[in-house]
């Protein structure tokens, strides 16, 4: 079973409540259903950057680690598709956070699910270090969407961490093979 449950929020309480409730329910259902392996998606750096949403991911990880179902937690950098929901809004102006990332293909997560439980798996990240704002602009162009992408730097330590690599892997990590340019080429072809 792969857990990619998500909520769009920056609020700590909302994130913690959501991930605690959904993860608790998922673990109970997995145990009752005899699931042999629960793979949970998390975020590289979520244990270091004190952002509201990341507190929810920390709560989720803790529940999975202490749950009664064999597990793997995979911390990944943002997937190639991360900016797309922002670009899908009806507004011609899109606010995108400034952050450094090594975007990765979502397929990399699936590769972990076919193996056995691994506990805290090696972090995964893509081969290219990019800025999220640049990614959003390039995706908009590839899809033929006219959007004004407005960069925003989050205030304080969170903004500094996001713009200086706080969400990048440190040390050893599994490097995805697919490049962001290959992802863009597939968008143009669609």
């Amino acid at each position: 079973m792969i857990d990619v449950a998500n909520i769009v929020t920056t609020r700590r309480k909302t994130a913690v409540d959501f991930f605690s409730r959904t993860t608790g329910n998922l673990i109970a259902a997995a145990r009752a259903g005899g699931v042999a392996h629960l793979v949970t998606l998390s975020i590289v750096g979520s244990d270091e950057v004190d952002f509201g949403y990341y507190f929810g991911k920390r709560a989720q990880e803790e529940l999975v680690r202490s749950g009664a179902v064999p597990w793997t937690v995979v911390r990944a950098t943002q997937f190639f598709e991360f900016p797309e929901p922002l670009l899908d809004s009806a507004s011609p102006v899109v606010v995108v956070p400034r952050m450094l990332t090594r975007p990765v293909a979502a397929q990399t997560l699936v590769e972990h699910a076919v193996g056995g439980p691994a506990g805290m798996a090696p972090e995964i990240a893509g081969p290219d270090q990019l800025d999220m704002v640049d990614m959003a602009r390039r995706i908009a162009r590839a899809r033929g969407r006219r959007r004004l992408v407005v960069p925003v730097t989050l205030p304080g330590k969170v903004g500094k961490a996001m713009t200086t690599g706080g969400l990048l892997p440190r040390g050893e990590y599994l490097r995805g093979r697919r490049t962001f340019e290959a992802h863009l080429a597939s968008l143009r072809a669609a």
Side-chain angles (χ1 to χ4, degrees), residues 7-19 21 52 56:
I7 187 171
V8 178
T9 185
T10 58
R11 299 175 63 88
R12 179 179 181 165
K13 182 178 182 339
T14 303
V16 170
D17 289 349
F18 172 82
F19 284 111
R21 187 179 69 253

Side-chain angles (χ1 to χ4, degrees), residues 52 125 160:
K160 183 173 183 176

Side-chain angles (χ1 to χ4, degrees), residues 130-151:
L130 300 167
D131 179 79
M132 188 61 62
V133 173
D134 181 52
M135 286 175 57
R137 289 177 175 150
R138 292 170 67 189
I139 289 171
R141 278 194 303 273
R143 290 204 177 264
R145 295 188 180 144
R146 298 182 58 84
R147 298 286 190 267
L148 174 61
V149 176
V150 178

Side-chain angles (χ1 to χ4, degrees), residues 20-60:
S20 296
R21 187 179 69 253
T22 58
T23 302
N25 290 340
L26 183 66
I27 291 170
R31 183 173 180 184
V35 170
H37 184 197
L38 173 61
V39 179
T40 300
L41 175 64
S42 194
I43 302 168
V44 170
S46 62
D47 58 333
E48 308 263 340
V49 179
D50 289 337
F51 183 56
Y53 179 81
Y54 300 153
F55 285 103
K57 295 304 282 183
R58 292 175 195 171
Q60 178 187 41

Side-chain angles (χ1 to χ4, degrees), residues 98-114:
R98 288 188 190 273
M99 72 168 72
L100 284 179
T101 188
R102 288 187 164 277
V104 68
Q107 175 63 30
T108 311
L109 174 65
V110 176
E111 293 167 8
H112 280 286
V114 298

Side-chain angles (χ1 to χ4, degrees), residues 4 9 44 66 84 91-92 111 129 131 134 138 151 175 182 184:
V4 292
T9 185
V44 170
S66 64
E84 294 201 33
S91 173
E111 293 167 8
Q129 183 170 302
D131 179 79
D134 181 52
R138 292 170 67 189
R175 185 178 175 147
L184 290 176

